[in-house]
């Protein structure tokens, strides 16, 4: 009885729908809804009829970038980058290239929806324009089409964009081109005609070791000039040690300096403060670290006295700690291995100042040693201008330059060891002390 009642209700509903005139049968072969009718009704979901309704638009209008298209001459992006497939994001910073890219996009017209497989015909190139506020405009061209999250589209124009070149993807760029600076370019091009008077190496902002002989100056320059850019590091905070830096500093006869900085193994270039540093992986510069660069201090002229007599940068730190300079002591970092215990501590404020005063007041003799052994204490002093010396103590000696050591007064070195151990036991000036046994 219940089944009969349900059947009757269903028939009544069907008759009601057909009586309203709004029902279209989708049964194949029916007079009210043929297979052709069914295909037409669902084809927009497959993209089969969208080209008929597509209206050509300028690139900026199609992407919704009207504000950029109207203002890029006055509010020019700070960088233009290109990424080939999953490769490096390689930026350029010269205004000529950036404006040329914006002009090329302005001349581009989006003409219609592309075939489904058109985007698979070639390698994708993603171009990104970065504004000073960090806003980024990115677009990808895959093969012969423009690809977006809504699909792939055909276009005309844009040839000038694809003619632009980028480091990593164009071997014509050398290391000096990465700075996009006319002065750096002239330094490289006129190197032989205007040879620097010295080249220096500075590690972690410490003392600068300087060489004035032409052979060393040319060797360092030739390694930089012959380097090849192999990539750009996308995740520097994960893949390189950002706390390790080495500067190579060329000084010209008029006092002008050109500094090339490596963070870990990557050349670090900050052309735009708004864009931030770019970390370039290079090949051909691996031997830079092995070049002997030493300061020109005459070791024979030193006949004993305060540590400050060993090097000028030691005296600079002493003057800052004593208040005899425009500079001040910003902080001190100490790493040590004493009596089999290793650790580090950081000092600031009055503790740092007093520590520097005590260290620079230590006395040494003129006796040098070719090799030193024993406890090690490394003291890195940071002054208010970012400079500062690094003092290497090994055993009872202090290193003046690589391979040259002077014997410290026994009382002074004993006091230094005791001071470091005491600060470590107290947690340093910041309480940030790590100790572990080396045995």
């Amino acid at each position: 009885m219940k089944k009969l009642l349900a059947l009757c209700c269903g028939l009544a509903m069907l008759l009601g729908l057909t009586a309203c005139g709004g029902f279209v049968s989708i049964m194949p072969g029916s007079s009210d809804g043929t297979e052709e009718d069914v295909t037409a009704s669902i084809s927009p979901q497959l993209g089969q009829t969208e080209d008929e309704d597509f209206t050509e638009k300028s690139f900026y209008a199609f992407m919704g970038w009207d504000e950029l298209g109207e203002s890029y001459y006055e509010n020019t992006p700070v960088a233009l980058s290109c990424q080939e497939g999953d490769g490096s994001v390689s930026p350029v910073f010269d205004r000529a290239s950036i404006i040329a890219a914006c002009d090329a996009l302005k001349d581009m017209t989006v003409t219609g929806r592309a075939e489904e497989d058109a985007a698979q015909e070639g390698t994708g190139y993603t171009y990104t324009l970065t504004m000073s506020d960090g806003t980024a405009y990115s677009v990808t061209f895959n093969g012969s089409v423009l690809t977006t999250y809504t699909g792939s589209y055909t276009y005309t124009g844009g040839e000038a964009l694809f003619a632009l070149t980028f480091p990593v993807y164009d071997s014509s760029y050398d290391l000096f081109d990465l700075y996009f600076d006319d002065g750096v370019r002239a330094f490289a091009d006129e190197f032989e005609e205007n040879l620097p008077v010295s080249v220096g190496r500075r590690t972690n902002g410490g003392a600068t070791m300087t060489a004035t002989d032409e052979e060393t100056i040319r060797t360092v320059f030739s390694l930089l000039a012959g380097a090849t850019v192999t990539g750009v590091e996308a995740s520097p905070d994960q893949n390189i040690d950002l706390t390790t830096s080495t500067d190579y500093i060329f000084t010209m006869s008029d006092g002008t300096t050109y500094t090339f900085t490596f963070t870990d193994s990557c050349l670090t270039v900050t052309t735009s403060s708004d864009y931030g540093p770019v970390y370039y992986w290079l090949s051909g510069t691996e031997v830079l670290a092995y070049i002997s660069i030493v300061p020109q201090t005459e070791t024979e002229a030193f006949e004993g006295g305060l540590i400050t007599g060993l090097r000028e940068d030691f005296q600079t730190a002493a003057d800052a700690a004593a208040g005899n300079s425009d500079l001040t002591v910003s902080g001190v970092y100490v790493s040590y291995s004493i009596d089999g215990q290793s650790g580090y501590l950081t000092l600031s404020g009055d503790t740092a100042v007093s520590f520097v005063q005590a260290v620079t007041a230590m006395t040494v003799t003129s006796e040098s040693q070719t090799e030193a052994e024993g406890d090690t204490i490394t003291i890195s002093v940071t002054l208010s201008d970012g400079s500062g010396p690094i003092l290497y103590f090994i055993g009872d000696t202090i290193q003046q330059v690589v391979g040259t050591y002077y014997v410290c007064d026994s009382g002074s070195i004993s006091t230094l060891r005791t001071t470091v151990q005491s600060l470590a036991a107290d947690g340093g000036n910041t309480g940030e002390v790590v100790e572990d046994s080396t045995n």
Side-chain angles (χ1 to χ4, degrees), residues 261-315:
T261 299
F262 287 80
T263 302
D264 202 345
S265 298
C266 291
L267 179 74
T268 307
V269 182
T270 303
T271 299
S272 166
S273 58
D274 295 318
Y275 189 89
V278 182
Y279 300 91
Y280 294 97
W281 288 102
L282 307 175
S283 65
T285 58
E286 297 81 5
V287 300
L288 271 174
Y290 301 100
I291 294 176
S292 177
I293 299 178
V294 297
Q296 298 304 301
T297 305
E298 292 289 340
T299 58
E300 296 79 9
F302 185 75
E303 297 180 354
L306 297 180
I307 276 180
T308 52
L310 289 173
R311 292 216 313 246
E312 183 178 348
D313 56 337
F314 291 175
Q315 181 64 61

Side-chain angles (χ1 to χ4, degrees), residues 221-295:
F221 175 80
S222 64
L223 288 170
L224 295 175
T228 300
V229 182
T230 59
V232 176
E233 178 53 56
S235 303
D237 57 330
Q238 300 176 26
N239 298 323
I240 62 176
D241 183 0
L242 297 178
T243 66
T244 301
S245 66
T246 304
D247 302 318
Y248 292 91
I249 308 164
F250 293 91
T251 301
M252 313 305 291
S253 58
D254 63 356
T256 302
T257 59
Y258 296 93
T259 302
F260 303 91
T261 299
F262 287 80
T263 302
D264 202 345
S265 298
C266 291
L267 179 74
T268 307
V269 182
T270 303
T271 299
S272 166
S273 58
D274 295 318
Y275 189 89
V278 182
Y279 300 91
Y280 294 97
W281 288 102
L282 307 175
S283 65
T285 58
E286 297 81 5
V287 300
L288 271 174
Y290 301 100
I291 294 176
S292 177
I293 299 178
V294 297

Side-chain angles (χ1 to χ4, degrees), residues 413-436:
I413 196 68
S414 178
T415 300
L416 175 61
R417 291 192 186 106
T418 300
T419 300
V420 170
Q421 290 175 314
S422 176
L423 287 169
D426 293 339
N429 194 49
T430 63
E432 186 65 32
V433 179
V434 175
E435 292 191 317
D436 60 291

Side-chain angles (χ1 to χ4, degrees), residues 299-305 310 364-369 405-407:
T299 58
E300 296 79 9
F302 185 75
E303 297 180 354
L310 289 173
V364 297
T365 71
S366 58
E367 300 176 20
S368 62
Q369 295 182 327
Y405 302 88
Y406 279 76
V407 178

Side-chain angles (χ1 to χ4, degrees), residues 310-347:
L310 289 173
R311 292 216 313 246
E312 183 178 348
D313 56 337
F314 291 175
Q315 181 64 61
T316 299
D319 290 340
N324 298 328
S325 167
D326 293 334
L327 300 176
T328 58
V329 176
S330 298
V332 176
Y333 176 86
V334 182
S335 62
Y336 62 88
S337 178
I338 302 175
D339 295 335
Q341 295 294 316
S342 298
Y344 69 86
L345 54 135
T346 55
L347 310 175

